[in-house]
Amino acid sequence: MSADTAPLTKVDSAISGLSSSPPESKIKHRRASSSAAGVYNINDLESEGKDLLIAKETQKLNWKLNTSPATLDDKEVLKKFLTTPPVKKIDLHFPLGLEVTARNMKGVTIKDALDAIHKQFKKKADDELELPVLAGFEWDKEESWTRLKVHQKKEGAPASSGGKKKKNKAGVEEE
């Protein structure tokens, strides 16, 4: 019976190639979030009470909602952040109730917002849209901290129709 007192060893062929500690087979390194430094979650900004500033360039784009943002003349504007401080995602709310979300883990740019809007309107003809041109965005923290109101106008000519809310202060000539 001296064989019984010797230390036991694994002999089974199914087990012999495996290590006895399963945690080593788990992934040791978890990929870091792909968000850039200084980019906030909109909900964190709300809890901290930080205000958002919207890029003023959006008011001067005169962009038709059913055309691709790539057709804009000023390509540099598209690279700018939509808000300051930059956020990972933001909801864009239209007056009739439609809501689209612009997302970018490195900070939502004007292009991201226009792409999200274009995706909703790209199949619409010009005459189907009552207000086909983007007039700008408005952030009203009393109504909703996490979304921007989208303002639209009839035409994108320099002498526009005017009757929009306070977002159209710059560059609008009253008739």
Side-chain angles (χ1 to χ4, degrees):
M1 290 243 177
S2 64
D4 287 81
T5 57
L8 296 173
T9 58
K10 295 178 186 169
V11 183
D12 189 4
S13 62
I15 301 174
S16 64
L18 298 176
S19 69
S20 59
S21 57
E24 285 188 45
S25 65
K26 289 185 179 177
I27 299 170
K28 292 179 183 175
H29 171 68
R30 183 173 177 192
R31 183 183 295 179
S33 170
S34 60
S35 64
V39 178
Y40 296 88
N41 182 329
I42 190 81
N43 297 324
D44 294 344
L45 291 177
E46 183 177 10
S47 61
E48 293 172 19
K50 285 190 179 178
D51 286 359
L52 287 177
L53 295 172
I54 302 169
K56 293 192 180 348
E57 293 86 355
T58 58
Q59 298 167 25
K60 301 177 190 122
L61 291 175
N62 287 328
W63 173 68
K64 287 181 120 179
L65 304 180
N66 59 355
T67 60
S68 170
T71 61
L72 282 172
D73 298 331
D74 193 359
K75 303 278 190 246
E76 287 302 309
V77 170
L78 296 176
K79 297 175 184 170
K80 294 187 176 171
F81 288 122
L82 179 64
T83 60
T84 307
V87 293
K88 295 177 185 178
K89 74 171 196 159
I90 190 130
D91 294 326
L92 306 172
H93 181 74
F94 286 84
L96 295 175
L98 175 70
E99 196 159 298
V100 296
T101 303
R103 292 182 185 88
N104 185 340
M105 294 307 276
K106 292 181 170 63
V108 173
T109 62
I110 293 173
K111 182 182 186 319
D112 297 322
L114 298 186
D115 283 340
I117 293 169
H118 176 247
K119 189 174 181 182
Q120 290 296 318
F121 292 102
K122 65 184 174 187
K123 291 189 168 72
K124 301 259 187 209
D126 287 350
D127 58 349
E128 289 181 73
L129 296 170
E130 192 177 322
L131 300 168
V133 178
L134 179 73
F137 300 100
E138 175 187 1
W139 180 64
D140 185 5
K141 65 181 174 185
E142 277 76 40
E143 188 177 312
S144 174
W145 200 285
T146 60
R147 74 181 183 200
L148 301 179
K149 287 185 198 170
V150 179
H151 291 290
Q152 299 162 266
K153 56 188 176 181
K154 278 247 188 264
E155 69 255 3
S160 67
S161 56
K164 287 284 154 237
K165 295 183 182 167
K166 55 189 169 187
K167 267 299 165 189
N168 272 353
K169 285 184 218 168
V172 172
E173 297 173 16
E174 295 293 328
E175 292 183 41

PDB file of all heavy atoms in Angstrom, residues 10 18-26:
ATOM      1  N   LYS A  10      -1.717  13.819 -12.058  1.00  0.00           N
ATOM      2  CA  LYS A  10      -2.774  13.747 -13.066  1.00  0.00           C
ATOM      3  C   LYS A  10      -2.281  12.873 -14.214  1.00  0.00           C
ATOM      4  O   LYS A  10      -1.203  13.075 -14.731  1.00  0.00           O
ATOM      5  CB  LYS A  10      -3.125  15.137 -13.586  1.00  0.00           C
ATOM      6  CG  LYS A  10      -3.716  16.028 -12.522  1.00  0.00           C
ATOM      7  CD  LYS A  10      -3.993  17.396 -13.093  1.00  0.00           C
ATOM      8  CE  LYS A  10      -4.436  18.320 -11.993  1.00  0.00           C
ATOM      9  NZ  LYS A  10      -4.478  19.701 -12.389  1.00  0.00           N
ATOM     10  N   LEU A  18      -3.981  20.941 -19.772  1.00  0.00           N
ATOM     11  CA  LEU A  18      -4.563  22.174 -19.231  1.00  0.00           C
ATOM     12  C   LEU A  18      -3.909  22.576 -17.932  1.00  0.00           C
ATOM     13  O   LEU A  18      -3.456  21.728 -17.173  1.00  0.00           O
ATOM     14  CB  LEU A  18      -6.069  21.981 -18.989  1.00  0.00           C
ATOM     15  CG  LEU A  18      -6.910  21.669 -20.222  1.00  0.00           C
ATOM     16  CD1 LEU A  18      -8.342  21.403 -19.807  1.00  0.00           C
ATOM     17  CD2 LEU A  18      -6.864  22.826 -21.205  1.00  0.00           C
ATOM     18  N   SER A  19      -3.887  23.857 -17.666  1.00  0.00           N
ATOM     19  CA  SER A  19      -3.374  24.301 -16.375  1.00  0.00           C
ATOM     20  C   SER A  19      -4.476  24.147 -15.344  1.00  0.00           C
ATOM     21  O   SER A  19      -5.660  24.131 -15.668  1.00  0.00           O
ATOM     22  CB  SER A  19      -2.906  25.748 -16.445  1.00  0.00           C
ATOM     23  OG  SER A  19      -4.012  26.592 -16.601  1.00  0.00           O
ATOM     24  N   SER A  20      -4.114  24.059 -14.108  1.00  0.00           N
ATOM     25  CA  SER A  20      -5.102  23.811 -13.066  1.00  0.00           C
ATOM     26  C   SER A  20      -5.796  25.082 -12.596  1.00  0.00           C
ATOM     27  O   SER A  20      -6.768  25.028 -11.879  1.00  0.00           O
ATOM     28  CB  SER A  20      -4.441  23.117 -11.877  1.00  0.00           C
ATOM     29  OG  SER A  20      -3.413  23.946 -11.379  1.00  0.00           O
ATOM     30  N   SER A  21      -5.290  26.261 -12.993  1.00  0.00           N
ATOM     31  CA  SER A  21      -5.918  27.505 -12.540  1.00  0.00           C
ATOM     32  C   SER A  21      -6.628  28.198 -13.707  1.00  0.00           C
ATOM     33  O   SER A  21      -5.979  28.754 -14.580  1.00  0.00           O
ATOM     34  CB  SER A  21      -4.865  28.431 -11.917  1.00  0.00           C
ATOM     35  OG  SER A  21      -3.850  28.662 -12.849  1.00  0.00           O
ATOM     36  N   PRO A  22      -7.943  28.187 -13.724  1.00  0.00           N
ATOM     37  CA  PRO A  22      -8.695  28.782 -14.829  1.00  0.00           C
ATOM     38  C   PRO A  22      -8.555  30.295 -14.986  1.00  0.00           C
ATOM     39  O   PRO A  22      -8.664  30.785 -16.089  1.00  0.00           O
ATOM     40  CB  PRO A  22     -10.146  28.400 -14.534  1.00  0.00           C
ATOM     41  CG  PRO A  22     -10.176  27.828 -13.185  1.00  0.00           C
ATOM     42  CD  PRO A  22      -8.782  27.509 -12.781  1.00  0.00           C
ATOM     43  N   PRO A  23      -8.285  31.091 -13.946  1.00  0.00           N
ATOM     44  CA  PRO A  23      -8.201  32.539 -14.157  1.00  0.00           C
ATOM     45  C   PRO A  23      -7.160  32.964 -15.193  1.00  0.00           C
ATOM     46  O   PRO A  23      -7.258  34.014 -15.785  1.00  0.00           O
ATOM     47  CB  PRO A  23      -7.857  33.091 -12.779  1.00  0.00           C
ATOM     48  CG  PRO A  23      -8.370  32.084 -11.828  1.00  0.00           C
ATOM     49  CD  PRO A  23      -8.226  30.761 -12.536  1.00  0.00           C
ATOM     50  N   GLU A  24      -6.125  32.143 -15.419  1.00  0.00           N
ATOM     51  CA  GLU A  24      -5.101  32.508 -16.391  1.00  0.00           C
ATOM     52  C   GLU A  24      -5.639  32.522 -17.810  1.00  0.00           C
ATOM     53  O   GLU A  24      -5.132  33.218 -18.662  1.00  0.00           O
ATOM     54  CB  GLU A  24      -3.919  31.545 -16.293  1.00  0.00           C
ATOM     55  CG  GLU A  24      -3.062  31.806 -15.067  1.00  0.00           C
ATOM     56  CD  GLU A  24      -1.804  30.976 -15.097  1.00  0.00           C
ATOM     57  OE1 GLU A  24      -1.158  30.905 -16.150  1.00  0.00           O
ATOM     58  OE2 GLU A  24      -1.483  30.393 -14.053  1.00  0.00           O
ATOM     59  N   SER A  25      -6.681  31.775 -18.080  1.00  0.00           N
ATOM     60  CA  SER A  25      -7.233  31.742 -19.430  1.00  0.00           C
ATOM     61  C   SER A  25      -8.127  32.953 -19.698  1.00  0.00           C
ATOM     62  O   SER A  25      -8.483  33.217 -20.826  1.00  0.00           O
ATOM     63  CB  SER A  25      -8.017  30.454 -19.648  1.00  0.00           C
ATOM     64  OG  SER A  25      -9.146  30.428 -18.798  1.00  0.00           O
ATOM     65  N   LYS A  26      -8.488  33.682 -18.650  1.00  0.00           N
ATOM     66  CA  LYS A  26      -9.314  34.880 -18.830  1.00  0.00           C
ATOM     67  C   LYS A  26      -8.476  36.012 -19.416  1.00  0.00           C
ATOM     68  O   LYS A  26      -7.251  36.020 -19.293  1.00  0.00           O
ATOM     69  CB  LYS A  26      -9.907  35.339 -17.497  1.00  0.00           C
ATOM     70  CG  LYS A  26     -10.983  34.410 -16.985  1.00  0.00           C
ATOM     71  CD  LYS A  26     -11.610  34.985 -15.749  1.00  0.00           C
ATOM     72  CE  LYS A  26     -12.700  34.049 -15.261  1.00  0.00           C
ATOM     73  NZ  LYS A  26     -13.283  34.524 -14.033  1.00  0.00           N
TER      74      LYS A  26
END
